[in-house]
């Protein structure tokens, strides 16, 4: 790596959406090479091994244009996002009848 390589993702926490509608969480551990990062996905019982992920993979979007990877500076920020994402939506009732005078 050269001196001009900027590393802004190391230490960031993330969520990444899976095609089945679920998501995974983890942390960017370090820059491995130019535009390639070592990440660790969260495991249920034991830490999972590091995986290499390219910046291109992190920038991928769905067919509708939604980002698959979301980055957070702290686990608290990420947990707030997950809580919001997992919260059931509140149904809204909209009246389609015009009031009469």
């Amino acid at each position: 790596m050269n001196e001009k390589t900027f590393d802004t993702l190391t230490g960031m926490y993330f969520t990444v959406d899976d095609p089945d509608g679920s998501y995974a969480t983890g942390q960017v551990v370090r820059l491995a090479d130019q535009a390639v990062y070592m990440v660790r996905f969260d495991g249920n019982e034991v830490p999972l091994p590091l995986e290499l992920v390219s910046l291109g993979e992190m920038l991928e979007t769905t067919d509708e244009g939604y980002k698959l990877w979301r980055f957070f500076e702290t686990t608290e920020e990420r947990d707030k996002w997950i809580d919001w994402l997992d919260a059931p939506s509140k149904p809204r009732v909209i009246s389609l009848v015009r009031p009469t005078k």
Side-chain angles (χ1 to χ4, degrees):
M1 288 183 288
N2 61 32
E3 294 177 21
K4 295 183 181 182
T5 302
F6 294 103
D7 179 12
T8 57
L9 293 177
T10 293
M12 299 287 280
Y13 298 91
F14 64 83
T15 64
V16 59
D17 294 341
D18 291 326
D20 66 0
S22 63
Y23 57 86
T25 60
Q27 184 178 19
V28 179
V29 177
R30 67 182 289 262
L31 186 64
D33 196 8
Q34 189 170 359
V36 177
Y37 287 88
M38 296 180 100
V39 301
R40 175 169 281 134
F41 287 91
D42 294 334
N44 290 337
E45 297 179 13
V46 296
L48 298 175
L50 297 175
E51 294 187 31
L52 293 174
V53 180
S54 72
L55 192 56
E57 290 176 83
M58 293 178 179
L59 294 174
E60 286 180 357
T61 60
T62 64
D63 293 336
E64 295 82 26
Y66 295 108
K67 295 178 187 177
L68 295 176
W69 290 70
R70 290 176 184 83
F71 296 93
F72 306 89
E73 290 188 13
T74 65
T75 56
E76 290 80 17
E77 289 177 1
R78 184 181 68 185
D79 291 345
K80 281 184 186 179
W81 170 259
I82 291 171
D83 289 343
W84 176 83
L85 192 62
D86 290 343
S89 60
K90 297 177 183 176
R92 294 178 25 185
V93 177
I94 300 173
S95 175
L96 299 177
V97 179
R98 291 185 182 176
T100 59
K101 291 185 179 186

